[in-house]
Amino acid sequence: MPIFLAGQPQRVNSIFCIGRNYAAHAAELGNAIEAEPVVFLKPNSALLAEGLPIVLPDYSHDVHYECELVLLIGQDADDVSAAGAMAHVAGYAIGLDLTARDVQSEVKAKGLPWTKAKGFRGAACVSGFVAANLVSDATQLTFSLMVNGEPRQRGESALMLFPVAEIVSYLSRIYGLRAGDVIFTGTPEGVGALQGGDVLALDLHGMVQASWVVAR
Ligand code: MG
């Protein structure tokens, strides 16, 4: 099932993710705040469009939800400034950076990459995108996650340690961004474990809604 922007299916390319971008979330996991963005990637095959079931990996007993603002890159960006960055953003979505926290803790302790904790099939849930021209100020967006009807996470892009424009500029400088790339911008506090049967309802600033159900 494709991801849509204004009714048009999008071919998602690389999936970049920013870690520790909200001070309160870094604190809840006992992590330091870094001087530059913490970046990791998920394979394209981790993408899960709305309506498809979340299947928890059988090698983890502690898969966490992380509700995040997601960007879609509309045109290639190489070494762009923060001032010029937003022209490369085509749309905004709400998504889940699913994380096998037990696996992540193990690999972090060993100094190994996070891929098995963050990149499993279905670990990158992304809603439809709202066109960027309908968002007047990406630094003033709110978003939320309800699990089984109870509020679990509420985020404000104003609280990001690295704002959206700086993230796009940074990624364009180090890696280069290509049309179709998506960027998970980090999660606020309130992360927690998923159980089979959980129903997750996400909202981006009253503009985009999406829901997923965890398979039993
Ligand atoms: Mg995250």
Side-chain angles (χ1 to χ4, degrees):
M1 188 176 293
I3 308 285
F4 288 91
L5 165 67
Q8 297 299 312
Q10 303 294 308
R11 171 145 182 86
V12 171
N13 194 33
S14 297
I15 304 174
F16 290 92
C17 304
I18 306 299
R20 306 180 194 174
N21 201 25
Y22 291 84
H25 170 63
E28 76 179 344
L29 294 186
N31 289 321
I33 290 168
E34 301 294 332
E36 62 182 284
V38 175
V39 178
F40 60 94
L41 291 107
K42 297 185 188 239
N44 180 288
S45 50
L47 194 69
L48 191 74
E50 192 187 356
L52 296 173
I54 292 172
V55 178
L56 302 176
D58 59 8
Y59 56 78
S60 172
H61 300 289
D62 192 25
V63 177
H64 278 198
Y65 53 80
E66 296 189 357
C67 180
E68 309 195 4
L69 173 67
V70 180
L71 315 180
L72 175 66
I73 296 299
Q75 49 177 294
D76 295 1
D78 288 284
D79 206 15
V80 298
S81 65
M86 299 313 290
H88 297 263
V89 177
Y92 298 90
I94 190 75
L96 294 163
D97 163 18
L98 297 183
T99 304
R101 194 72 71 200
D102 45 0
V103 175
Q104 187 189 32
S105 297
E106 274 181 48
V107 295
K108 276 167 76 173
K110 293 179 182 174
L112 295 172
W114 297 1
T115 315
K116 190 177 177 184
K118 292 281 199 177
F120 53 87
R121 283 177 289 153
C125 305
V126 180
S127 74
F129 286 89
V130 60
N133 61 10
L134 299 177
V135 174
S136 55
D137 186 352
T139 70
Q140 299 296 325
L141 291 171
T142 59
F143 56 94
S144 63
L145 166 68
M146 311 254 287
V147 180
N148 303 327
E150 292 183 6
R152 293 288 181 88
Q153 287 191 280
R154 183 182 153 72
E156 298 176 50
S157 61
L159 297 177
M160 288 182 181
L161 299 171
F162 297 96
V164 168
E166 285 187 36
I167 291 170
V168 172
S169 173
Y170 178 85
L171 294 175
S172 82
R173 180 157 47 88
I174 305 290
Y175 306 99
L177 290 167
R178 296 292 169 261
D181 288 353
V182 301
I183 304 169
F184 281 75
T185 58
T187 197
E189 73 275 22
V191 300
L194 290 172
Q195 311 293 334
D198 281 349
V199 178
L200 293 87
L202 292 72
D203 177 89
L204 171 58
H205 210 77
M207 296 187 298
V208 178
Q209 287 78 37
S211 64
W212 282 271
V213 176
V214 181
R216 290 185 185 276

mmCIF file of all heavy atoms in Angstrom, residues 16-17 26 28 30 34 37 48 51 58 65 110 112 131 134-135 140 146-147 149 165 180 214:
data_model
loop_
_atom_site.group_PDB
_atom_site.id
_atom_site.type_symbol
_atom_site.label_atom_id
_atom_site.label_comp_id
_atom_site.label_asym_id
_atom_site.label_seq_id
_atom_site.Cartn_x
_atom_site.Cartn_y
_atom_site.Cartn_z
ATOM 1 N N PHE A 16 15.495 8.351 6.963
ATOM 2 C CA PHE A 16 16.391 8.889 7.990
ATOM 3 C C PHE A 16 15.598 9.084 9.281
ATOM 4 O O PHE A 16 14.416 9.434 9.238
ATOM 5 C CB PHE A 16 16.951 10.251 7.568
ATOM 6 C CG PHE A 16 17.939 10.197 6.433
ATOM 7 C CD1 PHE A 16 17.529 10.331 5.114
ATOM 8 C CD2 PHE A 16 19.295 10.011 6.688
ATOM 9 C CE1 PHE A 16 18.441 10.284 4.070
ATOM 10 C CE2 PHE A 16 20.213 9.964 5.643
ATOM 11 C CZ PHE A 16 19.790 10.100 4.333
ATOM 12 N N CYS A 17 16.256 8.883 10.406
ATOM 13 C CA CYS A 17 15.613 9.105 11.705
ATOM 14 C C CYS A 17 16.552 9.892 12.606
ATOM 15 O O CYS A 17 17.766 9.655 12.608
ATOM 16 C CB CYS A 17 15.295 7.778 12.392
ATOM 17 S SG CYS A 17 14.278 6.649 11.429
ATOM 18 N N ALA A 26 15.015 12.284 25.933
ATOM 19 C CA ALA A 26 16.396 11.860 26.218
ATOM 20 C C ALA A 26 16.525 11.538 27.706
ATOM 21 O O ALA A 26 17.110 10.525 28.098
ATOM 22 C CB ALA A 26 17.384 12.943 25.796
ATOM 23 N N GLU A 28 14.131 10.607 29.831
ATOM 24 C CA GLU A 28 13.382 9.427 30.297
ATOM 25 C C GLU A 28 14.119 8.131 29.985
ATOM 26 O O GLU A 28 13.896 7.114 30.630
ATOM 27 C CB GLU A 28 11.953 9.397 29.750
ATOM 28 C CG GLU A 28 11.810 8.985 28.294
ATOM 29 C CD GLU A 28 10.354 8.960 27.809
ATOM 30 O OE1 GLU A 28 9.431 8.963 28.632
ATOM 31 O OE2 GLU A 28 10.179 8.958 26.576
ATOM 32 N N GLY A 30 17.504 8.132 29.994
ATOM 33 C CA GLY A 30 18.818 8.286 30.603
ATOM 34 C C GLY A 30 19.919 8.601 29.609
ATOM 35 O O GLY A 30 21.092 8.299 29.853
ATOM 36 N N GLU A 34 23.115 15.467 22.668
ATOM 37 C CA GLU A 34 24.325 15.561 21.852
ATOM 38 C C GLU A 34 24.442 16.936 21.197
ATOM 39 O O GLU A 34 23.451 17.644 21.022
ATOM 40 C CB GLU A 34 24.306 14.480 20.765
ATOM 41 C CG GLU A 34 24.211 13.061 21.298
ATOM 42 C CD GLU A 34 25.447 12.627 22.083
ATOM 43 O OE1 GLU A 34 26.548 13.146 21.805
ATOM 44 O OE2 GLU A 34 25.295 11.788 22.986
ATOM 45 N N PRO A 37 22.926 16.376 15.642
ATOM 46 C CA PRO A 37 21.827 15.394 15.606
ATOM 47 C C PRO A 37 22.337 13.949 15.630
ATOM 48 O O PRO A 37 23.349 13.625 15.009
ATOM 49 C CB PRO A 37 21.129 15.699 14.275
ATOM 50 C CG PRO A 37 21.442 17.129 13.999
ATOM 51 C CD PRO A 37 22.837 17.342 14.534
ATOM 52 N N LEU A 48 5.596 1.034 6.738
ATOM 53 C CA LEU A 48 4.271 0.444 6.930
ATOM 54 C C LEU A 48 3.222 1.536 6.774
ATOM 55 O O LEU A 48 3.130 2.447 7.597
ATOM 56 C CB LEU A 48 4.153 -0.199 8.316
ATOM 57 C CG LEU A 48 2.908 -1.056 8.520
ATOM 58 C CD1 LEU A 48 3.035 -2.387 7.778
ATOM 59 C CD2 LEU A 48 2.655 -1.322 9.999
ATOM 60 N N GLY A 51 -3.266 1.370 7.926
ATOM 61 C CA GLY A 51 -4.240 0.329 7.620
ATOM 62 C C GLY A 51 -3.657 -1.071 7.613
ATOM 63 O O GLY A 51 -4.398 -2.043 7.656
ATOM 64 N N ASP A 58 9.373 -11.353 16.541
ATOM 65 C CA ASP A 58 9.328 -12.409 17.575
ATOM 66 C C ASP A 58 10.591 -12.439 18.438
ATOM 67 O O ASP A 58 10.613 -13.119 19.459
ATOM 68 C CB ASP A 58 9.061 -13.781 16.935
ATOM 69 C CG ASP A 58 10.110 -14.177 15.907
ATOM 70 O OD1 ASP A 58 11.144 -13.473 15.783
ATOM 71 O OD2 ASP A 58 9.900 -15.194 15.212
ATOM 72 N N TYR A 65 6.404 2.146 21.057
ATOM 73 C CA TYR A 65 5.961 3.166 20.105
ATOM 74 C C TYR A 65 6.765 4.448 20.350
ATOM 75 O O TYR A 65 7.124 4.757 21.489
ATOM 76 C CB TYR A 65 4.454 3.453 20.254
ATOM 77 C CG TYR A 65 4.029 3.794 21.664
ATOM 78 C CD1 TYR A 65 4.218 5.068 22.176
ATOM 79 C CD2 TYR A 65 3.482 2.828 22.502
ATOM 80 C CE1 TYR A 65 3.860 5.383 23.477
ATOM 81 C CE2 TYR A 65 3.114 3.130 23.799
ATOM 82 C CZ TYR A 65 3.311 4.413 24.279
ATOM 83 O OH TYR A 65 2.965 4.713 25.569
ATOM 84 N N LYS A 110 26.838 -3.104 23.786
ATOM 85 C CA LYS A 110 27.964 -3.706 23.070
ATOM 86 C C LYS A 110 28.616 -2.724 22.093
ATOM 87 O O LYS A 110 29.592 -3.087 21.424
ATOM 88 C CB LYS A 110 27.494 -4.932 22.278
ATOM 89 C CG LYS A 110 27.039 -6.097 23.142
ATOM 90 C CD LYS A 110 26.562 -7.237 22.243
ATOM 91 C CE LYS A 110 26.039 -8.416 23.057
ATOM 92 N NZ LYS A 110 25.452 -9.446 22.176
ATOM 93 N N LEU A 112 27.223 -1.715 19.338
ATOM 94 C CA LEU A 112 26.873 -2.172 17.993
ATOM 95 C C LEU A 112 25.745 -1.309 17.402
ATOM 96 O O LEU A 112 25.039 -0.625 18.131
ATOM 97 C CB LEU A 112 26.431 -3.635 18.043
ATOM 98 C CG LEU A 112 27.532 -4.620 18.449
ATOM 99 C CD1 LEU A 112 26.951 -6.009 18.669
ATOM 100 C CD2 LEU A 112 28.620 -4.656 17.392
ATOM 101 N N ALA A 131 0.409 18.453 2.180
ATOM 102 C CA ALA A 131 1.349 19.236 1.377
ATOM 103 C C ALA A 131 1.967 20.357 2.209
ATOM 104 O O ALA A 131 1.290 21.011 3.011
ATOM 105 C CB ALA A 131 0.643 19.812 0.160
ATOM 106 N N LEU A 134 0.532 23.839 2.814
ATOM 107 C CA LEU A 134 -0.605 24.014 3.717
ATOM 108 C C LEU A 134 -0.157 24.187 5.170
ATOM 109 O O LEU A 134 -0.990 24.366 6.065
ATOM 110 C CB LEU A 134 -1.560 22.821 3.607
ATOM 111 C CG LEU A 134 -2.175 22.605 2.221
ATOM 112 C CD1 LEU A 134 -3.056 21.362 2.200
ATOM 113 C CD2 LEU A 134 -2.975 23.840 1.792
ATOM 114 N N VAL A 135 1.167 24.106 5.394
ATOM 115 C CA VAL A 135 1.721 24.269 6.745
ATOM 116 C C VAL A 135 2.483 25.589 6.782
ATOM 117 O O VAL A 135 3.511 25.741 6.127
ATOM 118 C CB VAL A 135 2.650 23.092 7.089
ATOM 119 C CG1 VAL A 135 3.354 23.324 8.419
ATOM 120 C CG2 VAL A 135 1.852 21.788 7.132
ATOM 121 N N GLN A 140 5.820 25.132 14.642
ATOM 122 C CA GLN A 140 4.691 25.343 15.568
ATOM 123 C C GLN A 140 3.634 24.257 15.401
ATOM 124 O O GLN A 140 2.443 24.532 15.549
ATOM 125 C CB GLN A 140 4.070 26.725 15.331
ATOM 126 C CG GLN A 140 5.022 27.881 15.559
ATOM 127 C CD GLN A 140 5.502 27.994 16.994
ATOM 128 O OE1 GLN A 140 4.747 27.711 17.927
ATOM 129 N NE2 GLN A 140 6.761 28.367 17.189
ATOM 130 N N MET A 146 -2.726 8.415 20.830
ATOM 131 C CA MET A 146 -3.583 7.751 21.803
ATOM 132 C C MET A 146 -3.421 6.250 21.599
ATOM 133 O O MET A 146 -3.365 5.776 20.450
ATOM 134 C CB MET A 146 -5.057 8.095 21.577
ATOM 135 C CG MET A 146 -5.337 9.567 21.419
ATOM 136 S SD MET A 146 -6.130 10.269 22.858
ATOM 137 C CE MET A 146 -7.773 9.594 22.715
ATOM 138 N N VAL A 147 -3.329 5.493 22.691
ATOM 139 C CA VAL A 147 -3.299 4.041 22.610
ATOM 140 C C VAL A 147 -4.527 3.513 23.342
ATOM 141 O O VAL A 147 -4.725 3.819 24.525
ATOM 142 C CB VAL A 147 -2.007 3.455 23.223
ATOM 143 C CG1 VAL A 147 -2.004 1.934 23.113
ATOM 144 C CG2 VAL A 147 -0.771 4.039 22.531
ATOM 145 N N GLY A 149 -7.448 4.508 23.173
ATOM 146 C CA GLY A 149 -8.277 5.616 23.617
ATOM 147 C C GLY A 149 -7.675 6.471 24.716
ATOM 148 O O GLY A 149 -8.284 7.460 25.135
ATOM 149 N N ALA A 165 14.272 22.743 10.032
ATOM 150 C CA ALA A 165 15.170 23.327 9.017
ATOM 151 C C ALA A 165 16.624 22.923 9.270
ATOM 152 O O ALA A 165 17.381 22.661 8.327
ATOM 153 C CB ALA A 165 15.030 24.849 9.006
ATOM 154 N N GLY A 180 11.912 11.921 -2.333
ATOM 155 C CA GLY A 180 11.336 10.666 -1.862
ATOM 156 C C GLY A 180 11.893 10.196 -0.532
ATOM 157 O O GLY A 180 11.374 9.247 0.054
ATOM 158 N N VAL A 214 -2.098 -3.345 16.396
ATOM 159 C CA VAL A 214 -1.040 -4.329 16.587
ATOM 160 C C VAL A 214 -1.646 -5.725 16.466
ATOM 161 O O VAL A 214 -2.628 -6.049 17.156
ATOM 162 C CB VAL A 214 -0.367 -4.165 17.966
ATOM 163 C CG1 VAL A 214 0.757 -5.177 18.147
ATOM 164 C CG2 VAL A 214 0.157 -2.740 18.145
#
